Structure formats: structure tokens, C-alpha cells
Amino acid sequence: MSTRPGLALRSGGSGGDLLLLLHGLGATGAVWDRLLPLVERDWPGAWAVPDLRGHGRSPAEPPYGYGVHAADVAALAAGASRVTVLGHSFGGVVGAALAGGWYGVEVARVVALGVKIDWTDDEVARARAMAARPPQVFASAAEAAERHLRLAGLTGLVAPEDPVALAGVREVPDGGFAVAFDPRAFGAVGPPVEEVLSRAVAPLRLAAGSADPMVGADAMRRVDPDAVVVEGAGHNAHWEAPEAVWRLLVSGF
């Protein structure tokens, strides 16, 4: 894993067409591992999978926010002739912000999976409260991995001992293990998600699993009338149904 503009990054391929895979809040780039074989097989250009700021092996350095993360990702895309974004949840909003025309990046299209559009006051308050809590230290890597999986919505889909789970764990210098996620990043979530999505100037496709508890078809279609429901998948459709998500991306809509 290499580091560019401060972000831990996996990358491959070559050429001016860059595919960016952006994970959701609390996750890491490892959540794309089931999709990457399809990328390596079919994508005609370069690809990059970062850990976003405050996540995984990337620096935990505030501030956090859709625009800040979009600027980080724009630095990764420097030199690309055009960029395609596949983003999950928080990463989908970051991708839409990148496509807003403010960052000097030519975005060809954005596919945003499982983006939570509607937020209640209580949900925003809970996120702010979580942002104020200090990181929890666990006695074992397995306990920290279980917490990471809950944050990433992968409980029941990935085993705690799996490398994908352990990618979200860090060892604490004074002993113990913690989730490799800065809880202060919780302060970045909430409204105005719909406004950010609507301001994308590149073609935007919203999609979500049919069993995704975070967003439904009606909410998505306020922004994208042609939003897609991935049957049989939950919040992490890219993990549960990678072939269906990949077909959606390469269709070009």
C-alpha cells in the first residue's frame, strides 16, 4: 500500500481514465475487495482505492466533511484525463461533491450506492455525540475488528479474523487495539446530502440494495428518477452483489 497526498492508497491499471472507489463512513478501502477482481479484469484505465482521511491507514487529521474529503480525492486524481467514481454511502456523497465542478477534476460519471439522504434531528444529534467520544480501546484485535464491522455495516458479512475486518484495526501504543477510524469524522455526516447530490454536474446514478435500511427508492428518486434497486442486497451492495454493481457502473447509464 502506497501513500499519495497523505492518503493510504491501493492502485493499479494505467491510462488517463481513472476509476475511484470511495468507501463509506467507518469503513476502509478493503470493502472493495470483492469488486476489485472485476475492476482488474474489465476496467480499461487506471484505478485507485484510498482510505479516506480519518479511516484505515490514512492520517486522522481534522477537519472532516464532504468538501474536505473531495479535495483530498481530487489530489489523487491530478493528471487523469477524466474520472469515474463509484462511492458507497458517505463515499457516494464525497463523489458527488467531487463532481460539483469545484475541484478542477473532469468527472465523467458518479455511481453512489446506499447514500442516506434523509436525516432526522435525533440521528444528527447522535452522530454529533459519537464524534465527541474518545476512541474506545479493546483488549484484543478481534474485539476491535468486531466493532469496526459494526461501524462499516459488515457484521454478519465478514468474519472478525478476515483481513478486510483487520484492515480497520490499529494497535494502540500503550497497549490494546482500537478501530482505525477517527470518531470525530462522525461530525461530517448529515444534511445537506440531497443538496450535495443535486449539485453534481456529471451524470449521477443512485442505487441501493432492496434491503438497505438507510435509504429507499422513493428518497433516491427525488434526486435521480432512474435510481436503481439492487435486489437481494443490503447496505453494502458492492460486497453482497459485486457483479450487479459492476454491471451498473459499466452500463454508462
Side-chain angles (χ1 to χ4, degrees):
M1 183 175 285
S2 62
T3 300
R4 273 191 276 163
L7 298 184
L9 178 75
R10 287 185 293 168
S11 59
S14 62
D17 286 352
L18 174 65
L19 173 64
L20 286 173
L21 303 177
L22 306 181
H23 63 77
L25 193 75
T28 74
V31 297
W32 300 105
D33 280 8
R34 295 193 69 197
L35 191 87
L36 275 179
L38 306 178
V39 175
E40 293 175 319
R41 184 191 71 191
D42 295 336
W43 184 251
W47 55 267
V49 183
D51 288 346
L52 296 176
R53 176 192 296 246
H55 295 73
R57 301 296 177 256
S58 288
E61 297 176 355
Y64 299 110
Y66 304 128
V68 173
H69 289 283
D72 287 345
V73 172
L76 298 179
S81 57
R82 65 176 188 168
V83 175
T84 298
V85 180
L86 175 57
H88 174 239
S89 198
F90 182 83
V93 188
V94 173
L98 184 69
W102 300 301
Y103 297 95
V105 174
E106 181 67 29
V107 178
R109 65 189 189 279
V110 178
V111 175
L113 294 171
V115 172
K116 181 174 174 58
I117 295 172
D118 295 322
W119 290 79
T120 67
D121 291 343
D122 283 347
E123 288 170 335
V124 173
R126 285 199 299 271
R128 300 293 184 264
M130 293 177 74
R133 295 175 186 169
Q136 188 174 359
V137 178
F138 298 89
S140 68
E143 291 173 288
E146 288 177 353
R147 174 60 176 161
H148 166 67
L149 293 175
R150 287 197 296 273
L151 288 172
L154 290 169
T155 299
L157 298 176
V158 179
E161 64 273 15
D162 192 289
V164 172
L166 294 174
V169 174
R170 63 180 176 86
E171 194 165 358
V172 177
D174 294 334
F177 299 85
V179 174
F181 168 65
D182 186 346
R184 292 173 292 182
F186 275 117
V189 302
V193 172
E194 188 166 348
E195 181 179 342
V196 176
L197 296 174
S198 298
R199 288 187 176 183
V201 296
L204 171 71
R205 173 65 70 245
L206 296 182
S210 58
D212 191 337
M214 306 287 282
V215 63
D218 290 344
M220 291 193 296
R221 286 171 183 158
R222 294 202 310 263
V223 178
D224 174 13
D226 297 315
V228 173
V229 173
V230 181
E231 292 298 332
H235 185 55
N236 280 276
H238 53 299
W239 183 268
E240 300 169 75
E243 291 276 2
V245 170
W246 186 245
R247 286 195 299 270
L248 174 63
L249 180 80
V250 299
S251 69
F253 53 91

